[in-house]
Amino acid sequence: QGCTQKYIVKNYFYYYLFKFSAALGEEIFYITFLPFTYWNIDHSVSRRMIIIWSIVMYVGQVSKDILKWPRPLSPPVVKLEMRTDAEYGMPSTHAMAATAISFSFLIATVNQYKYPFEAGLIAAFVFSTLVCLSRLYTGMHTVLDVIGGALISAVLLVLLYPAWDTIDHLLLTSPFCPLLSIVVPLVLCYNYPKLDYYSPTRGDTTTVLGAGAGATVGFWLNNQYAMPAYTSENFPLGFPLITGKIVMVVLARFFLGIFVVLLTRRLMKRVVLGMLGYRYKFSIGDLEARRRLEVEVPYKFITYSSVGFSATVLVPLLHELLGLM
């Protein structure tokens, strides 16, 4: 473990296709696509996707550390990733997230916007299939891991769909929403299943729940205090003729928003790690110290809840200030 197996790439098309597809199930995709949906498509769609994503990822990560099914042996497989190799394999959270995000997007938009349902279904299927196949190609999962992840995600979608509107209403209107949005994820993170060795699953789970908590508090604040909102009137997605002005607004919103989000993440990481380092007497570069429960959970939760809050509250305010609403 820790040694990368040497390999020769014989088909660069498949290699780059599946390396790219694997990235669609990682943080780089979440931190771009989910905010993009919020800033440029629809608030309600984004809210539903973020809640489903948070629940699905938590269930998947916890299931891994309860089931403790090993990843494929190498050899015979060649593993193209090493960071997640310390995690257990079943279920594939890449497969779960891809299935949840693609099909929740389809379900949330199909009745609101004018596009062929068949085209949306094909797009969702292709997206989730590419991510699932990438886990096989990179040697990180077995076929059973991938199928299990996709099926668990599908079952959760079916179970949660009837309660979508109720959950959404409560998140926007309940006076207890901010408190519960912070306390419940924190309790889940601090009571995460314990392993005999360190695994990045707890930290990744804390990242997801933290981002979801910050975004949920932002949703509530926006609704309570009538904060700036992106509406279909000023940005239709029906898909009409796309003008140059619309493209420029989309790009301006996106790049400005991503800059603020990444800046928030960078600043909060330094501030929170600095405070925790002072409290627990360790240097910021001490990786072992950062893996301790009392450090990892608050560090990642505060950092990524700030990211979620920034994306849903600070960025829209900045967009309005600059005339991008």
Side-chain angles (χ1 to χ4, degrees), residues 156-171:
L156 289 173
L157 274 173
V158 171
L159 293 176
L160 290 170
Y161 177 71
W164 268 21
D165 291 338
T166 302
I167 294 172
D168 191 51
H169 177 73
L170 290 174
L171 291 179

Side-chain angles (χ1 to χ4, degrees), residues 29 78 120 123 142 181 191 224 247 325:
F29 175 73
V78 177
T142 65
S181 296
N191 290 276
Q224 295 297 313
V247 173
M325 299 300 291

Side-chain angles (χ1 to χ4, degrees), residues 117-192:
F117 172 76
E118 294 78 9
L121 184 62
I122 292 172
F125 180 78
V126 169
F127 177 87
S128 56
T129 299
L130 281 175
V131 175
C132 290
L133 290 177
S134 75
R135 306 317 289 156
L136 303 178
Y137 183 87
T138 55
M140 301 313 296
H141 286 286
T142 65
V143 174
L144 187 59
D145 295 341
V146 170
I147 293 175
L151 287 178
I152 292 171
S153 191
V155 169
L156 289 173
L157 274 173
V158 171
L159 293 176
L160 290 170
Y161 177 71
W164 268 21
D165 291 338
T166 302
I167 294 172
D168 191 51
H169 177 73
L170 290 174
L171 291 179
L172 294 178
T173 61
S174 173
F176 302 106
C177 174
L179 179 63
L180 293 177
S181 296
I182 298 297
V183 172
V184 172
L186 269 177
V187 170
L188 294 176
C189 292
Y190 275 107
N191 290 276
Y192 193 82

Side-chain angles (χ1 to χ4, degrees), residues 20-35:
F20 172 76
S21 300
L24 297 178
E26 297 172 357
E27 181 184 352
I28 186 65
F29 175 73
Y30 304 143
I31 210 168
T32 53
F33 178 71
L34 294 177

Side-chain angles (χ1 to χ4, degrees), residues 185 189 205-215 300-302 304-306 308-309:
C189 292
T205 304
T206 305
T207 294
V208 171
L209 294 184
K300 288 188 175 290
F301 191 87
I302 295 173
Y304 284 92
S305 61
S306 300
F309 185 84

Side-chain angles (χ1 to χ4, degrees), residues 283-303:
S283 65
I284 293 179
D286 188 344
L287 183 60
E288 289 301 316
R290 288 165 56 175
R291 290 175 171 179
R292 286 153 42 188
L293 174 68
E294 65 272 21
V295 174
E296 184 176 59
V297 170
Y299 153 54
K300 288 188 175 290
F301 191 87
I302 295 173
T303 297

